[in-house]
Amino acid sequence: MSFFGKKKNKVSKITPDLLPKHIGIIMDGNGRWAKKRGLPRSAGHTAGAKTFRKITRYCSDIGIKYLTVYAFSTENWRRPSDEVAALMKLFKSYLEEALSDFKDDSIVVRFIGDKSGFDDNLRQLMTENEQSSKNRNGMVLNIAMNYGSRDEIVRAVKSICSKAEKGEIKISEIDDNTISEHLYTAGQPDPDLIIRPSGEYRISNFLLWQSAYTEFVIMDKLWPDFQTSDLDEALNIYSNRNRRYGGI
Ligand code: FPP
């Protein structure tokens, strides 16, 4: 049994060339799920983490190449301190478990966001997970933690300006690709599909640059209730979209 559950070699009903290469998920609705049950918000996050595990395994099984999940934004620090503390505890326990169990998996784990916001122990766990999985050949899982897309773009701009100042980059040669290559997702394809459960129509500072031509699917289910059949439904909606990238 691996960290993400039993391997079942699932096959998507969508033909491989209509499957998105890269899926982003805004894991929203944990708080409302808990409230509906009279539970503390932290119970919603615990349930949401189980869904994260299940959906990640499923994406890997059906042949998705990149999955980016939004776990904690640069703005989430504004939440009550007990909720933030519960989330940090949850991240730690997952990353500790991942370290011992990820071995059986081919998933490459990456963290996107500003790691310096976390304590030493969590930062160490993030680095160890990245190091121990980097030579695997399966799906790349980006876990966005202390991630904000505006922050990411500001960092990219600063880094490009600093290279220009040193004469390493010519300003006249800066293009779209230069920006992409200075983001946390450098070298990865842009997301084809972003799924937001819980019925909110917002991007919430997630992959702003990368989602220029992404297809969005908003679903009514709260994240802890999200099933593999809901992912199938999103994939089905996506496979029927006509992507034109500004053309006709
Ligand atoms: C948003 O729902 C969810 C979060 C801020 C936390 C998401 C974290 C997880 C699902 C845990 C993942 C675990 C790992 C190890 C990556 P919300 O709290 O804003 O819900 P609400 O809108 O209903 O209040």
Side-chain angles (χ1 to χ4, degrees):
M1 182 93 156
S2 77
F3 173 68
F4 286 117
K6 246 188 184 132
K7 284 208 171 189
K8 289 206 187 97
N9 286 331
K10 296 186 188 74
V11 181
S12 170
K13 293 177 197 87
I14 312 289
T15 50
D17 54 327
L18 289 178
L19 269 183
K21 244 199 198 95
H22 186 169
I23 300 179
I25 304 182
I26 301 177
M27 304 187 287
D28 192 22
N30 297 347
R32 275 163 286 169
W33 182 92
K35 197 173 171 202
K36 265 171 60 180
R37 286 163 180 75
L39 297 168
R41 292 178 59 83
S42 57
H45 296 313
T46 305
K50 286 191 184 134
T51 304
F52 151 72
R53 193 185 260 213
K54 178 176 66 190
I55 296 298
T56 298
R57 172 80 272 148
Y58 188 65
C59 285
S60 162
D61 281 353
I62 64 173
I64 302 301
K65 304 287 180 225
Y66 297 86
L67 172 67
T68 302
V69 293
Y70 206 4
F72 195 84
S73 76
T74 43
E75 290 73 34
N76 285 152
W77 297 106
R78 295 182 196 144
R79 294 189 173 205
S81 56
D82 60 333
E83 184 176 343
V84 171
L87 274 166
M88 295 304 135
K89 202 168 157 217
L90 185 65
F91 293 146
K92 269 179 205 166
S93 74
Y94 261 65
L95 297 192
E96 271 159 11
E97 201 184 332
L99 266 186
S100 55
D101 284 343
F102 265 160
K103 288 186 212 99
D104 304 336
D105 273 294
S106 56
I107 295 170
V108 178
V109 186
R110 302 209 39 224
F111 294 92
I112 62 170
D114 179 9
K115 289 195 184 100
S116 72
F118 298 109
D119 69 23
D120 288 352
N121 181 223
L122 197 44
R123 276 210 313 269
Q124 172 75 10
L125 285 167
M126 291 163 114
T127 307
E128 283 176 35
N129 267 289
E130 287 185 328
Q131 289 300 325
S132 62
S133 70
K134 70 175 183 202
N135 294 323
R136 296 183 188 148
N137 58 5
M139 182 181 82
V140 174
L141 168 66
N142 296 311
I143 305 180
M145 277 172 56
N146 198 18
Y147 173 86
S149 201
R150 286 188 169 184
D151 177 63
E152 178 184 37
I153 294 168
V154 168
R155 282 162 191 275
V157 169
K158 282 184 178 162
S159 165
I160 294 166
C161 288
S162 141
K163 286 181 189 170
E165 229 169 38
K166 289 186 221 145
E168 293 166 12
I169 289 182
K170 278 200 190 129
I171 291 177
S172 59
E173 286 169 4
I174 294 173
D175 59 11
D176 283 19
N177 203 38
T178 318
I179 310 278
S180 295
E181 287 309 308
H182 286 80
L183 300 176
Y184 293 121
T185 50
Q188 302 187 10
D190 287 339
D192 304 291
L193 166 66
I194 289 182
I195 302 169
R196 181 158 194 160
S198 96
E200 305 281 2
Y201 287 70
R202 273 195 298 279
I203 185 73
S204 300
N205 207 7
F206 184 55
L207 304 178
L208 299 179
W209 175 271
Q210 298 90 331
S211 64
Y213 289 103
T214 299
E215 296 294 325
F216 281 85
V217 173
I218 312 287
M219 305 187 83
D220 275 335
K221 282 263 178 88
L222 302 174
W223 177 247
D225 290 329
F226 200 87
Q227 305 295 328
T228 55
S229 55
D230 296 310
L231 192 91
D232 283 338
E233 190 187 327
L235 292 175
N236 193 37
I237 295 169
Y238 168 82
S239 70
N240 285 303
R241 294 266 174 92
N242 177 12
R243 300 184 77 187
R244 293 189 294 279
Y245 302 93
I248 52 169

